[in-house]
Structure formats: C-alpha cells, structure tokens
Amino acid sequence: MNYIHYFKSQAKKFYKDFQTQYIAENDYIYSYNPKFWHDIDDIILSFNIDENDFSLMKAQHIIANLANFKNWHELVHANDCQLELGYYLVEHRENNLLDEWQWYERYAKLERFDDEGKLDIFKHIFLKNVN
C-alpha cells in the first residue's frame, strides 16, 4: 500500500467534507454534510479548528496529527512502519486508538523499541480487539 497516497487522499477528503460547511436557519454554529469524514464535528472540536480559516494545508496537518505525527513534513519523511501505524490510527480513529497508543508509548517506555517492534506491539495489543 502506498501510505503517502492514502494520507494525501484522506486530507483531500477531509478538506472536501469541510467545504460542505453551512449555517442552518436560526442557528449560529456551522454544520456539515460530510461524505467521507462522518466524525468531522468531533475532529473540529478536538483540534480547535478555526472554521473561518481552513485550508488543504491545515487538513494535511490534522491528518498527520491523527496519524501520530507532529506535522505533515514528518509524515512524508517517515518510514514504512511508522506510516503503517499511522494508517491504522487514522482508519480506527473512532476507537480512540491514538490516545490509548500515545499513553501506552509513554508509560510502557517504548523508546527502546525500533519502529518495527512498535508496530508489532500495536498490532498485537490494539488491533486484536478492533473490527
């Protein structure tokens, strides 16, 4: 799988869904009609997104964060194991795997493992209970 292509596609889909933004009659908050990212409202709140100033570049940053990267640049320069782990985190975001994984990484002191070892641990512990 080409993970970079996947993340680019997800960023474009997120941005496209963001562009479905509208304000309902007699309402003062934005609503969305997403086609791809049905949890867009939760992500907007979680990342404190400025709904009046959003771009594809900001969508890329959000996708990178959801994949456990600090920014898009870090994502595009990651190795295959890091990208595969990020793929699982984005695909299973509704299961809050990112928060759980970040907690586990800190408290299990995974810095002593290489990226392949971290990916194996993630698959064994976190993916076994995910549909």
Side-chain angles (χ1 to χ4, degrees):
M1 169 179 232
N2 183 331
Y3 292 110
I4 299 297
H5 176 73
Y6 166 80
F7 291 120
K8 284 181 180 180
S9 174
Q10 292 305 309
K12 288 176 185 175
K13 288 176 180 177
F14 187 83
Y15 184 63
K16 189 172 195 163
D17 279 353
F18 186 87
Q19 291 177 316
T20 67
Q21 178 186 82
Y22 69 94
I23 297 178
E25 189 175 323
N26 298 324
D27 203 355
Y28 299 101
I29 59 172
Y30 290 113
S31 294
Y32 298 87
N33 286 318
K35 181 178 178 183
F36 307 104
W37 286 76
H38 299 288
D39 56 346
I40 192 168
D41 291 317
D42 294 335
I43 294 170
I44 288 169
L45 289 173
S46 295
F47 287 91
N48 199 24
I49 294 173
D50 181 350
E51 293 176 281
N52 295 309
D53 181 29
F54 195 69
S55 64
L56 179 57
M57 191 154 75
K58 290 179 182 177
Q60 290 173 332
H61 183 77
I62 297 299
I63 299 304
N65 288 172
L66 289 169
N68 202 28
F69 296 99
K70 291 178 187 155
N71 54 49
W72 188 255
H73 182 268
E74 186 179 284
L75 183 151
V76 298
H77 290 93
N79 65 45
D80 285 341
C81 290
Q82 293 169 322
L83 293 171
E84 184 177 350
L85 177 57
Y87 164 81
Y88 292 128
L89 291 170
V90 171
E91 281 295 299
H92 300 289
R93 65 189 175 277
E94 71 279 357
N95 296 60
N96 295 319
L97 291 185
L98 178 60
D99 291 337
E100 290 180 29
W101 175 248
Q102 288 174 335
W103 180 89
Y104 188 84
E105 264 189 312
R106 278 191 307 276
Y107 293 100
K109 299 183 180 7
L110 295 184
E111 64 272 357
R112 63 184 172 203
F113 292 92
D114 64 10
D115 294 324
E116 187 175 354
K118 290 178 186 178
L119 178 60
D120 287 342
I121 290 168
F122 180 85
K123 285 178 175 179
H124 180 73
I125 295 174
F126 291 89
L127 288 186
K128 69 178 181 179
N129 297 322
V130 176
N131 306 6

